[in-house]
Amino acid sequence: MHTSARIASSRPLATTAMHGRVETLRSEGQDVIDFSIAISHFPAPAAVLDAVAHALERERTMPYTSVVGALDVRERLAAKLRRENGIDARAGEIIVTNGAKQALYEALYAMTDPGDTVLVFKPHWPAYVATAQLLGLRVALADLPDTITPGLLDSLGTPKVVIINNPHNPTGKVYTRRELEYVRDWVQRIGARVIVDESYEHLIFDGEHASLAALCDWRAIGVVTIFSASQSHAMMGWRVGFAVAPAAIVEAMQTLQGPITAAAPHLSQVAAAAAFDSGAPVAMMADYRMRRDLAVQAFSGVPWMAMHAPASGPYLWGDVRALTRDSVGLCEALLEERRVAAMPGDALGVPAFIRLGYIADDVATLRDGIRRIIEFGDAAFARLPAGGKQAYE
Ligand code: PMP
């Protein structure tokens, strides 16, 4: 079947594709442990479930809301932005979306023309690059340093839009205020606009979250800040997030969103208002911290894996260069032979690393998955000729 030239050069997201393969294997009765994406084993916060139950009970009819989201929801989100992020925004500067992904697509669409350059730091969330490619943009990839410096930023050319992911998937980096000020000064100097994805704002173990928009004149610069209930409140399948942006960008995003999905689902808007009112997920973070420490400890003596404890987020980012440069081959073999799904770093722009989501299922399954990976890697490592070729090459 012929498909358009626009879509012919695009591929499904590697992350969702791997998750789809896991679902297929499981439906065939296979015992697969899925570390390829991070799906929380937590339910949505109790306040969310109560708000939705209440809405179902009391409202019954669920009309379309305005495309940007119901006014009372956006007012509550504006209050959250003031309270938690130090961002002073009006309801007219907020658009509720079907998750961060829709906000990202719409923001990039609204801020660019085909051929424009978007700067993305790698490793990167695959959706940044996939979305830019769908929109015919040129993607400039730069290595994400441990610390952002003015000198580094000055070496990155003059992109039209810069994408910042803070806290960062997959490394867990939490940008300091100082780093964000460097970014602010740089984008002001070169006249770039910025999309800041703060979807992991509540998943921080070490450090403190700061919003770029709280440190600059975001209306003048053109900063779009994206939030999502998916990770911060364990609500992946509710498909809801929002963006705060200058009114003209929100209007442009609305023009795009109207014919595609119209508003985010009414019930998910009710859920989002309750979620973003619910504050930091304390119990969830205690559980994630325990899992992070357990996993990092388990990998600590493994000679072919280098892994730091991430300062934030639901992922471990493991350097497997001592074993192989072919992380795709490694992940394929892991899935094939040990039924563990992991995400090869190639999908995030950095080969020879693997990403492991550690927040799904129970702790026994986490331990079992780690054991399978270590046994598998140890056997491959033992087969490596000393100083010779690498496994999977
Ligand atoms: N941003 C990043 C960087 C992510 O990794 C994720 C979840 N994988 C999200 C946003 C959440 O996206 P969505 O709201 O579309 O579920």
Side-chain angles (χ1 to χ4, degrees):
M1 172 72 78
H2 174 76
T3 54
S4 75
R6 278 194 312 277
I7 205 72
S9 59
S10 300
R11 293 284 168 275
L13 277 174
T15 38
T16 44
M18 178 64 99
H19 184 58
R21 281 176 68 188
V22 170
E23 288 198 335
T24 306
L25 285 168
R26 282 181 175 160
S27 72
E28 292 164 358
Q30 306 274 357
D31 157 35
V32 185
I33 296 178
D34 188 8
F35 293 155
S36 67
I37 56 177
I39 297 186
S40 184
H41 68 98
F42 272 79
V48 170
L49 302 178
D50 289 347
V52 168
H54 187 260
L56 280 173
E57 184 77 11
R58 296 289 297 277
E59 294 181 29
R60 296 294 177 119
T61 58
M62 296 282 163
Y64 286 131
T65 68
S66 62
V67 170
V68 285
L71 181 59
D72 66 310
V73 170
R74 286 179 293 127
E75 277 169 350
R76 286 171 68 183
L77 295 174
K80 171 258 186 292
L81 289 171
R82 271 192 299 280
R83 194 174 58 241
E84 293 187 342
N85 304 93
I87 301 173
D88 199 9
R90 296 183 291 275
E93 293 163 323
I94 291 172
I95 180 166
V96 184
T97 57
N98 289 265
K101 291 188 187 73
Q102 188 176 24
L104 169 71
Y105 184 91
E106 291 174 4
L108 263 185
Y109 190 109
M111 294 161 94
T112 60
D113 291 300
D116 284 345
T117 300
V118 180
L119 181 92
V120 177
F121 287 103
K122 65 183 164 79
H124 58 77
W125 188 35
Y128 299 137
V129 170
T131 303
Q133 283 170 345
L134 283 173
L135 293 172
L137 302 173
R138 235 178 54 77
V139 180
L141 290 175
D143 290 321
L144 180 70
D146 288 341
T147 307
I148 300 270
T149 59
L152 168 95
L153 294 170
D154 280 334
S155 72
L156 299 178
T158 55
K160 181 83 170 272
V161 175
V162 176
I163 297 182
I164 302 283
N165 181 202
N166 176 36
H168 182 257
N169 166 10
T171 64
K173 176 181 172 60
V174 179
Y175 284 65
T176 62
R177 261 166 220 276
R178 169 63 64 87
E179 288 177 301
L180 293 172
E181 284 164 0
Y182 290 151
V183 171
R184 172 197 66 196
D185 296 346
W186 171 59
V187 294
Q188 258 171 335
R189 224 169 23 251
I190 66 170
R193 292 168 165 191
V194 192
I195 295 176
V196 195
D197 178 353
E198 302 190 5
S199 296
Y200 292 97
E201 63 170 340
H202 283 307
L203 303 195
I204 295 182
F205 305 113
D206 311 308
E208 203 185 315
H209 180 61
S211 292
L212 174 69
L215 305 174
C216 66
D217 184 347
W218 54 270
R219 293 185 181 91
I221 295 176
V223 177
V224 178
T225 311
I226 295 176
F227 297 87
S228 166
S230 292
Q231 290 290 349
S232 278
H233 301 288
M235 291 168 59
M236 291 84 192
W238 296 73
R239 307 306 308 131
V240 72
F242 72 97
V244 52
I249 294 180
V250 165
E251 246 172 64
M253 291 170 73
Q254 163 173 232
T255 302
L256 181 59
Q257 183 164 316
I260 304 174
T261 61
H266 191 137
L267 269 185
S268 288
Q269 291 190 48
V270 169
F276 287 106
D277 269 354
S278 70
V282 177
M284 188 172 90
M285 281 307 285
D287 173 83
Y288 288 6
R289 182 185 287 274
M290 176 272 293
R291 286 163 176 258
R292 175 198 71 158
D293 292 347
L294 177 163
V296 170
Q297 171 65 29
F299 282 114
S300 64
V302 173
W304 49 269
M305 172 82 89
M307 181 185 280
H308 300 293
S312 72
Y315 304 106
L316 303 166
W317 181 238
D319 176 347
V320 294
R321 276 175 293 187
L323 181 63
T324 180
R325 304 266 156 183
D326 178 12
S327 42
V328 172
L330 174 65
C331 290
E332 283 298 326
L334 251 179
L335 184 61
E336 188 62 32
E337 294 173 33
R338 300 309 306 261
R339 293 289 185 244
V340 177
M343 189 50 57
D346 309 58
L348 295 89
V350 180
F353 280 71
I354 61 171
R355 192 190 72 176
L356 305 173
Y358 62 84
I359 59 169
D361 306 310
D362 55 16
V363 173
T365 307
L366 175 64
R367 285 186 200 278
D368 186 21
I370 293 171
R371 184 184 53 78
R372 293 189 205 184
I373 293 173
I374 293 176
E375 282 174 5
F376 178 83
D378 280 353
F381 192 64
R383 288 195 302 271
L384 284 183
K389 262 163 66 78
Q390 299 214 310
Y392 311 105
E393 281 184 342

PDB file of all heavy atoms in Angstrom, residues 330-353:
ATOM      1  N   LEU A 330      22.995  -6.525  21.572  1.00  0.00           N
ATOM      2  CA  LEU A 330      22.920  -6.971  22.963  1.00  0.00           C
ATOM      3  C   LEU A 330      21.461  -7.058  23.421  1.00  0.00           C
ATOM      4  O   LEU A 330      21.028  -8.062  24.007  1.00  0.00           O
ATOM      5  CB  LEU A 330      23.702  -6.001  23.847  1.00  0.00           C
ATOM      6  CG  LEU A 330      23.615  -6.231  25.352  1.00  0.00           C
ATOM      7  CD1 LEU A 330      24.255  -7.549  25.746  1.00  0.00           C
ATOM      8  CD2 LEU A 330      24.289  -5.087  26.116  1.00  0.00           C
ATOM      9  N   CYS A 331      20.684  -6.009  23.124  1.00  0.00           N
ATOM     10  CA  CYS A 331      19.282  -5.994  23.583  1.00  0.00           C
ATOM     11  C   CYS A 331      18.454  -7.047  22.850  1.00  0.00           C
ATOM     12  O   CYS A 331      17.557  -7.659  23.442  1.00  0.00           O
ATOM     13  CB  CYS A 331      18.680  -4.595  23.412  1.00  0.00           C
ATOM     14  SG  CYS A 331      19.391  -3.408  24.573  1.00  0.00           S
ATOM     15  N   GLU A 332      18.766  -7.254  21.559  1.00  0.00           N
ATOM     16  CA  GLU A 332      18.052  -8.299  20.813  1.00  0.00           C
ATOM     17  C   GLU A 332      18.321  -9.674  21.445  1.00  0.00           C
ATOM     18  O   GLU A 332      17.416 -10.474  21.649  1.00  0.00           O
ATOM     19  CB  GLU A 332      18.505  -8.319  19.346  1.00  0.00           C
ATOM     20  CG  GLU A 332      17.925  -7.206  18.496  1.00  0.00           C
ATOM     21  CD  GLU A 332      16.402  -7.271  18.394  1.00  0.00           C
ATOM     22  OE1 GLU A 332      15.852  -8.383  18.378  1.00  0.00           O
ATOM     23  OE2 GLU A 332      15.769  -6.204  18.356  1.00  0.00           O
ATOM     24  N   ALA A 333      19.590  -9.923  21.742  1.00  0.00           N
ATOM     25  CA  ALA A 333      19.953 -11.227  22.312  1.00  0.00           C
ATOM     26  C   ALA A 333      19.358 -11.389  23.712  1.00  0.00           C
ATOM     27  O   ALA A 333      18.911 -12.478  24.081  1.00  0.00           O
ATOM     28  CB  ALA A 333      21.477 -11.366  22.346  1.00  0.00           C
ATOM     29  N   LEU A 334      19.353 -10.304  24.465  1.00  0.00           N
ATOM     30  CA  LEU A 334      18.760 -10.359  25.820  1.00  0.00           C
ATOM     31  C   LEU A 334      17.282 -10.729  25.754  1.00  0.00           C
ATOM     32  O   LEU A 334      16.789 -11.534  26.539  1.00  0.00           O
ATOM     33  CB  LEU A 334      18.855  -8.973  26.459  1.00  0.00           C
ATOM     34  CG  LEU A 334      19.824  -8.759  27.596  1.00  0.00           C
ATOM     35  CD1 LEU A 334      19.762  -7.313  28.061  1.00  0.00           C
ATOM     36  CD2 LEU A 334      19.530  -9.701  28.753  1.00  0.00           C
ATOM     37  N   LEU A 335      16.597 -10.132  24.798  1.00  0.00           N
ATOM     38  CA  LEU A 335      15.164 -10.418  24.673  1.00  0.00           C
ATOM     39  C   LEU A 335      14.952 -11.853  24.179  1.00  0.00           C
ATOM     40  O   LEU A 335      14.117 -12.594  24.706  1.00  0.00           O
ATOM     41  CB  LEU A 335      14.518  -9.409  23.707  1.00  0.00           C
ATOM     42  CG  LEU A 335      13.008  -9.518  23.546  1.00  0.00           C
ATOM     43  CD1 LEU A 335      12.290  -9.295  24.866  1.00  0.00           C
ATOM     44  CD2 LEU A 335      12.495  -8.498  22.515  1.00  0.00           C
ATOM     45  N   GLU A 336      15.743 -12.215  23.191  1.00  0.00           N
ATOM     46  CA  GLU A 336      15.614 -13.536  22.578  1.00  0.00           C
ATOM     47  C   GLU A 336      15.943 -14.652  23.573  1.00  0.00           C
ATOM     48  O   GLU A 336      15.182 -15.601  23.741  1.00  0.00           O
ATOM     49  CB  GLU A 336      16.575 -13.584  21.373  1.00  0.00           C
ATOM     50  CG  GLU A 336      16.463 -14.783  20.488  1.00  0.00           C
ATOM     51  CD  GLU A 336      15.096 -14.915  19.830  1.00  0.00           C
ATOM     52  OE1 GLU A 336      14.444 -13.899  19.528  1.00  0.00           O
ATOM     53  OE2 GLU A 336      14.686 -16.066  19.673  1.00  0.00           O
ATOM     54  N   GLU A 337      17.083 -14.497  24.240  1.00  0.00           N
ATOM     55  CA  GLU A 337      17.594 -15.608  25.052  1.00  0.00           C
ATOM     56  C   GLU A 337      17.161 -15.561  26.512  1.00  0.00           C
ATOM     57  O   GLU A 337      17.027 -16.590  27.150  1.00  0.00           O
ATOM     58  CB  GLU A 337      19.133 -15.641  24.974  1.00  0.00           C
ATOM     59  CG  GLU A 337      19.610 -15.975  23.570  1.00  0.00           C
ATOM     60  CD  GLU A 337      21.120 -15.860  23.420  1.00  0.00           C
ATOM     61  OE1 GLU A 337      21.825 -16.153  24.406  1.00  0.00           O
ATOM     62  OE2 GLU A 337      21.575 -15.471  22.333  1.00  0.00           O
ATOM     63  N   ARG A 338      16.996 -14.363  27.072  1.00  0.00           N
ATOM     64  CA  ARG A 338      16.654 -14.281  28.504  1.00  0.00           C
ATOM     65  C   ARG A 338      15.320 -13.603  28.764  1.00  0.00           C
ATOM     66  O   ARG A 338      14.925 -13.410  29.910  1.00  0.00           O
ATOM     67  CB  ARG A 338      17.767 -13.569  29.283  1.00  0.00           C
ATOM     68  CG  ARG A 338      19.132 -14.255  29.198  1.00  0.00           C
ATOM     69  CD  ARG A 338      19.105 -15.748  29.543  1.00  0.00           C
ATOM     70  NE  ARG A 338      18.513 -16.039  30.818  1.00  0.00           N
ATOM     71  CZ  ARG A 338      19.176 -16.272  31.939  1.00  0.00           C
ATOM     72  NH1 ARG A 338      20.483 -16.285  31.937  1.00  0.00           N
ATOM     73  NH2 ARG A 338      18.541 -16.536  33.070  1.00  0.00           N
ATOM     74  N   ARG A 339      14.641 -13.200  27.689  1.00  0.00           N
ATOM     75  CA  ARG A 339      13.309 -12.594  27.825  1.00  0.00           C
ATOM     76  C   ARG A 339      13.318 -11.373  28.754  1.00  0.00           C
ATOM     77  O   ARG A 339      12.446 -11.227  29.621  1.00  0.00           O
ATOM     78  CB  ARG A 339      12.293 -13.635  28.329  1.00  0.00           C
ATOM     79  CG  ARG A 339      12.038 -14.734  27.298  1.00  0.00           C
ATOM     80  CD  ARG A 339      11.241 -14.169  26.146  1.00  0.00           C
ATOM     81  NE  ARG A 339      10.835 -15.157  25.166  1.00  0.00           N
ATOM     82  CZ  ARG A 339      11.261 -15.148  23.887  1.00  0.00           C
ATOM     83  NH1 ARG A 339      12.121 -14.260  23.452  1.00  0.00           N
ATOM     84  NH2 ARG A 339      10.792 -16.030  23.036  1.00  0.00           N
ATOM     85  N   VAL A 340      14.313 -10.534  28.539  1.00  0.00           N
ATOM     86  CA  VAL A 340      14.331  -9.233  29.215  1.00  0.00           C
ATOM     87  C   VAL A 340      14.400  -8.159  28.132  1.00  0.00           C
ATOM     88  O   VAL A 340      15.263  -8.221  27.249  1.00  0.00           O
ATOM     89  CB  VAL A 340      15.554  -9.075  30.149  1.00  0.00           C
ATOM     90  CG1 VAL A 340      15.569  -7.675  30.766  1.00  0.00           C
ATOM     91  CG2 VAL A 340      15.524 -10.127  31.241  1.00  0.00           C
ATOM     92  N   ALA A 341      13.476  -7.201  28.198  1.00  0.00           N
ATOM     93  CA  ALA A 341      13.485  -6.112  27.213  1.00  0.00           C
ATOM     94  C   ALA A 341      14.198  -4.905  27.809  1.00  0.00           C
ATOM     95  O   ALA A 341      13.840  -4.431  28.885  1.00  0.00           O
ATOM     96  CB  ALA A 341      12.056  -5.736  26.836  1.00  0.00           C
ATOM     97  N   ALA A 342      15.228  -4.441  27.097  1.00  0.00           N
ATOM     98  CA  ALA A 342      15.953  -3.230  27.498  1.00  0.00           C
ATOM     99  C   ALA A 342      16.024  -2.322  26.274  1.00  0.00           C
ATOM    100  O   ALA A 342      15.837  -2.786  25.146  1.00  0.00           O
ATOM    101  CB  ALA A 342      17.356  -3.588  27.969  1.00  0.00           C
ATOM    102  N   MET A 343      16.281  -1.050  26.475  1.00  0.00           N
ATOM    103  CA  MET A 343      16.315  -0.122  25.333  1.00  0.00           C
ATOM    104  C   MET A 343      17.758   0.148  24.943  1.00  0.00           C
ATOM    105  O   MET A 343      18.543   0.637  25.770  1.00  0.00           O
ATOM    106  CB  MET A 343      15.615   1.177  25.748  1.00  0.00           C
ATOM    107  CG  MET A 343      15.362   2.164  24.642  1.00  0.00           C
ATOM    108  SD  MET A 343      14.561   1.517  23.163  1.00  0.00           S
ATOM    109  CE  MET A 343      13.079   0.843  23.858  1.00  0.00           C
ATOM    110  N   PRO A 344      18.141  -0.182  23.692  1.00  0.00           N
ATOM    111  CA  PRO A 344      19.513   0.121  23.288  1.00  0.00           C
ATOM    112  C   PRO A 344      19.736   1.633  23.217  1.00  0.00           C
ATOM    113  O   PRO A 344      18.849   2.378  22.794  1.00  0.00           O
ATOM    114  CB  PRO A 344      19.621  -0.510  21.894  1.00  0.00           C
ATOM    115  CG  PRO A 344      18.230  -0.773  21.440  1.00  0.00           C
ATOM    116  CD  PRO A 344      17.351  -0.822  22.653  1.00  0.00           C
ATOM    117  N   GLY A 345      20.920   2.047  23.639  1.00  0.00           N
ATOM    118  CA  GLY A 345      21.226   3.476  23.629  1.00  0.00           C
ATOM    119  C   GLY A 345      21.120   4.100  22.249  1.00  0.00           C
ATOM    120  O   GLY A 345      20.870   5.310  22.132  1.00  0.00           O
ATOM    121  N   ASP A 346      21.275   3.279  21.203  1.00  0.00           N
ATOM    122  CA  ASP A 346      21.170   3.815  19.827  1.00  0.00           C
ATOM    123  C   ASP A 346      19.862   4.590  19.645  1.00  0.00           C
ATOM    124  O   ASP A 346      19.813   5.604  18.964  1.00  0.00           O
ATOM    125  CB  ASP A 346      21.197   2.682  18.788  1.00  0.00           C
ATOM    126  CG  ASP A 346      22.368   1.750  18.989  1.00  0.00           C
ATOM    127  OD1 ASP A 346      22.471   1.179  20.099  1.00  0.00           O
ATOM    128  OD2 ASP A 346      23.182   1.605  18.074  1.00  0.00           O
ATOM    129  N   ALA A 347      18.787   4.072  20.253  1.00  0.00           N
ATOM    130  CA  ALA A 347      17.481   4.722  20.098  1.00  0.00           C
ATOM    131  C   ALA A 347      17.472   6.089  20.767  1.00  0.00           C
ATOM    132  O   ALA A 347      16.613   6.926  20.473  1.00  0.00           O
ATOM    133  CB  ALA A 347      16.387   3.844  20.720  1.00  0.00           C
ATOM    134  N   LEU A 348      18.438   6.331  21.637  1.00  0.00           N
ATOM    135  CA  LEU A 348      18.520   7.613  22.337  1.00  0.00           C
ATOM    136  C   LEU A 348      19.744   8.406  21.883  1.00  0.00           C
ATOM    137  O   LEU A 348      20.167   9.345  22.540  1.00  0.00           O
ATOM    138  CB  LEU A 348      18.565   7.393  23.858  1.00  0.00           C
ATOM    139  CG  LEU A 348      17.314   6.789  24.481  1.00  0.00           C
ATOM    140  CD1 LEU A 348      17.358   5.266  24.485  1.00  0.00           C
ATOM    141  CD2 LEU A 348      17.104   7.276  25.896  1.00  0.00           C
ATOM    142  N   GLY A 349      20.312   7.961  20.760  1.00  0.00           N
ATOM    143  CA  GLY A 349      21.398   8.722  20.149  1.00  0.00           C
ATOM    144  C   GLY A 349      22.788   8.379  20.655  1.00  0.00           C
ATOM    145  O   GLY A 349      23.764   8.995  20.229  1.00  0.00           O
ATOM    146  N   VAL A 350      22.907   7.411  21.574  1.00  0.00           N
ATOM    147  CA  VAL A 350      24.227   7.056  22.117  1.00  0.00           C
ATOM    148  C   VAL A 350      24.377   5.541  22.169  1.00  0.00           C
ATOM    149  O   VAL A 350      23.903   4.893  23.109  1.00  0.00           O
ATOM    150  CB  VAL A 350      24.432   7.652  23.531  1.00  0.00           C
ATOM    151  CG1 VAL A 350      25.811   7.284  24.073  1.00  0.00           C
ATOM    152  CG2 VAL A 350      24.285   9.165  23.509  1.00  0.00           C
ATOM    153  N   PRO A 351      25.006   4.936  21.153  1.00  0.00           N
ATOM    154  CA  PRO A 351      25.214   3.487  21.165  1.00  0.00           C
ATOM    155  C   PRO A 351      26.124   3.070  22.322  1.00  0.00           C
ATOM    156  O   PRO A 351      26.785   3.911  22.924  1.00  0.00           O
ATOM    157  CB  PRO A 351      25.901   3.211  19.823  1.00  0.00           C
ATOM    158  CG  PRO A 351      25.763   4.444  19.017  1.00  0.00           C
ATOM    159  CD  PRO A 351      25.570   5.580  19.976  1.00  0.00           C
ATOM    160  N   ALA A 352      26.147   1.779  22.574  1.00  0.00           N
ATOM    161  CA  ALA A 352      27.014   1.175  23.596  1.00  0.00           C
ATOM    162  C   ALA A 352      26.580   1.513  25.022  1.00  0.00           C
ATOM    163  O   ALA A 352      27.355   1.366  25.966  1.00  0.00           O
ATOM    164  CB  ALA A 352      28.488   1.521  23.375  1.00  0.00           C
ATOM    165  N   PHE A 353      25.359   1.986  25.139  1.00  0.00           N
ATOM    166  CA  PHE A 353      24.726   2.129  26.449  1.00  0.00           C
ATOM    167  C   PHE A 353      23.391   1.379  26.379  1.00  0.00           C
ATOM    168  O   PHE A 353      22.854   1.156  25.288  1.00  0.00           O
ATOM    169  CB  PHE A 353      24.432   3.601  26.768  1.00  0.00           C
ATOM    170  CG  PHE A 353      25.624   4.365  27.270  1.00  0.00           C
ATOM    171  CD1 PHE A 353      26.676   4.684  26.408  1.00  0.00           C
ATOM    172  CD2 PHE A 353      25.695   4.788  28.586  1.00  0.00           C
ATOM    173  CE1 PHE A 353      27.783   5.394  26.861  1.00  0.00           C
ATOM    174  CE2 PHE A 353      26.801   5.489  29.053  1.00  0.00           C
ATOM    175  CZ  PHE A 353      27.838   5.797  28.189  1.00  0.00           C
TER     176      PHE A 353
END
